[in-house]
Amino acid sequence: SHLFYWFTQFYLSHRQRQMHRTYTRLEHANPTIASSELARELGVSRSTIARWVQNGWIKPTLVTAGGQARFDLDDIKEQLRRRQLQQEH
C-alpha cells in the first residue's frame, strides 16, 4: 500500500515534469504574439489584422480561453504568401 502510494506520487510528479518540459520547449520553439505585435511586425494596423482574421485570410495559431488570438509570425507570413500565390493564379 505504501509502495503503491509512493510509486503513484513519483510517477505523477515525473510525468508533470515531462509535460512541463515539453510545453516549455514548444513555447520557446514557436513563441506566439498578440495581434498588436503582429501588426507592428507586418507594418499594418490592428484593425487590418482583425479584418484578415474575420475574412479568413489568416488563421490564429491559437485562441486563449479569454478569446484572445495569438499568432506565430512565421506561420502568418506563410499563410499570406500562399494567399498571394492563389490570387496570382
Side-chain angles (χ1 to χ4, degrees):
S1 175
H2 291 288
L3 183 59
F4 177 74
Y5 175 79
W6 177 84
F7 177 76
T8 304
Q9 295 304 308
F10 171 79
Y11 177 77
L12 289 177
S13 64
H14 172 71
R15 186 74 182 121
Q16 286 173 332
R17 284 193 307 273
Q18 278 183 322
M19 290 175 70
H20 177 71
R21 281 194 301 268
T22 300
Y23 290 134
T24 302
R25 192 168 54 246
L26 289 174
E27 286 174 6
H28 293 299
N30 271 330
T32 57
I33 57 176
S35 59
S36 56
E37 190 173 344
L38 179 64
R40 194 168 35 253
E41 289 285 338
L42 297 178
V44 298
S45 68
R46 282 180 59 200
S47 60
T48 296
I49 298 297
R51 188 172 55 253
W52 288 354
V53 170
Q54 187 175 18
N55 291 338
W57 298 347
I58 62 173
K59 186 173 188 255
T61 303
L62 64 92
V63 178
T64 67
Q68 300 294 311
R70 294 288 183 262
F71 303 91
D72 175 292
L73 182 60
D74 292 334
D75 179 50
I76 296 302
K77 286 179 177 179
E78 178 61 22
Q79 289 181 44
L80 291 171
R81 187 188 68 76
R82 276 188 263 130
R83 177 165 170 68
Q84 186 177 9
L85 287 173
Q86 287 174 346
Q87 287 180 334
E88 290 174 358
H89 293 112

